[in-house]
Amino acid sequence: MTTSYPRCFNEHIETMPPDQLRLMQEEKLRRQMAYNYERSAFYRRRFDASGIKPGDIRTLDDLAKLPFTTKDELRDSQIEQPPLGRHAAAPMEAVIRVHSSSGTTGRPSYVGITRHDRDGWTESIARVYWAEGVRPDTILAMGFGLSFFVGGIPLQDAVEQIGATFIPIGTGASDRLITSIQNLGANQLTCTPSYATYLAEYVRSRFNMEPRELGLQRIQVGAEPGGGIPEVRKRIGEDWGAFITEGIGNADVIPVYAGECDERTGMHLVAPDLVVLEIIDPDTGAVLPLDRPEVRGELVFTHIDRECVPLVRFRTRDQVIVWTAACPCGRTGLRLRCVGRTDDMLILLGVNVFPSAIKDVVMSLRPRTTGEIQIVLDQPGPRVDPPLKIQVEHGPDVSNLPDLEREIEGILRDKLIFAARVELLPSGALPRYEMKAKLIHKAYEQ
Ligand SMILES: [Zn+2]
């Protein structure tokens, strides 16, 4: 007998009509602005410097009056006033846990949460994982790192909140992960897309079996843009014989705030009661109105129900496509797909190129390639003089390497409109990553 479960974890919020949603968000926004002014030295200074009173921010459109908050500013604020920064709005005795956001360079930045913040995170992540098919009868193997990383303990809280069975394995223990899936009959796995790809190779070489024989029904991927690359997703699905969905989050905002339903038409933003989203032009900072079916730009978030580190107009640096039309599943939230990081974006003769798009092209040539790539930059981006140097792993049966190099360069020129110089390397030559895959090698840093 199969149990029937409701379609949403929180039907009320996830299917709320847009006009009603807006009223709820604006009421919460006003409350949060007053709170930030009173409790956060960083935001009080911001408001005063721009001559704005918290009461001037009454509607979602009013947000555009305020400056953006950047990751660099949060880092500086934390150095200036440790441990959590001048932007923190709750005393340490109210903070129950601190996470680290995996900074790309330099000092890690820390994120504190109060009990209330923790409950908000749990609720948001539970809504996402429910949308991605986790139910009380799920046995979920955890393949994300469990320590400081926000994709660890907060995810455990959420899976347990759903009532599913959580198997806390984490990264760096591939043998134990596969053995636990076998011994405990795990039917779902959550990890990065690069780890899912790595694990498939691992199962074949170390367990001498096909990954699909493990019987996983679903794999939820996240923490890097790979899950949104059609060819990457197709390969993971075929390797494991599982239904692949993708989620997205941000350590400074909410660990996981959007995920796909079974329609797989983009990730539903499921926490409109916790954050307000804006899409901006990354070059000009102009807000792009969401009055069209599809909008592309950088994702910006404002917390509307956060105690410890509420952020106002935080630039995530994630480049997304947002779809505004309703989804057949009944959820009313906007749907989005991440196409890359603003920081990873390269510009070749005025053309924007994302490493994930290059990976997609190379994946489509399997088995003549392994799908693994590395872009080599001799100087800091984003502007790169063509041709762009790309290392690509070729498959075992390729005899004419120069021909394949020219072919890949030709496809990149036709599809992505830039000049590349491809260097083929044997299978296994490029580094593999359990956590976030690094597609760019900064040769100038050595
Ligand atoms: Zn849906």
Side-chain angles (χ1 to χ4, degrees), residues 3 8 43 46 105 153 164 172 217 271 279 289 291 373:
T3 320
C8 297
Y43 282 113
R46 278 272 155 116
T105 50
I153 296 168
Q217 291 157 10
I279 302 296
D291 57 359
I373 67 158

Side-chain angles (χ1 to χ4, degrees), residues 131 259-266 268 326-333 335:
E260 287 178 306
C261 68
D262 282 0
E263 303 290 332
R264 295 196 289 196
T265 49
H268 282 284
C327 179
C329 77
R331 288 179 181 81
T332 47
R335 286 167 290 126

Side-chain angles (χ1 to χ4, degrees), residues 114-172:
T114 64
R115 199 174 298 277
H116 176 81
D117 297 336
R118 191 267 320 269
D119 292 347
W121 280 14
T122 303
E123 172 72 21
S124 171
I125 304 168
R127 290 176 196 165
V128 169
Y129 271 81
W130 188 280
E132 292 196 68
V134 176
R135 298 289 181 273
D137 59 6
T138 298
I139 302 173
L140 183 121
M142 168 68 158
F144 284 115
L146 269 162
S147 59
F148 241 171
F149 175 53
V150 291
I153 296 168
L155 210 148
Q156 171 176 354
D157 288 342
V159 171
E160 292 177 359
Q161 181 74 15
I162 288 173
T165 309
F166 185 82
I167 311 175
I169 302 157
T171 50

Side-chain angles (χ1 to χ4, degrees), residues 53-107:
K53 299 262 176 293
D56 295 337
I57 310 300
R58 304 202 57 76
T59 67
L60 300 186
D61 295 334
D62 288 339
L63 268 176
K65 296 175 184 170
L66 292 168
F68 294 112
T69 304
T70 66
K71 184 77 183 169
D72 287 344
E73 287 171 331
L74 297 185
R75 197 174 294 120
D76 293 346
S77 153
Q78 211 153 73
I79 291 167
E80 205 178 315
Q81 189 180 305
L84 297 180
R86 300 184 68 254
H87 54 289
M92 275 312 275
E93 59 260 36
V95 173
I96 61 162
R97 199 195 297 153
V98 175
H99 281 280
S100 164
S101 68
S102 54
T104 44
T105 50
R107 186 180 190 273

Side-chain angles (χ1 to χ4, degrees), residues 332-344:
T332 47
L334 299 164
R335 286 167 290 126
L336 56 97
R337 173 149 297 148
C338 185
V339 293
R341 300 271 304 160
T342 304
D343 304 335
D344 288 346

Side-chain angles (χ1 to χ4, degrees), residues 175-186 203 207 209 213-214:
D175 192 77
R176 200 186 314 158
L177 178 59
I178 300 305
T179 311
S180 307
I181 291 171
Q182 289 177 311
N183 293 347
L184 299 171
V203 169
F207 285 75
M209 64 191 286
E213 292 173 58
L214 287 165

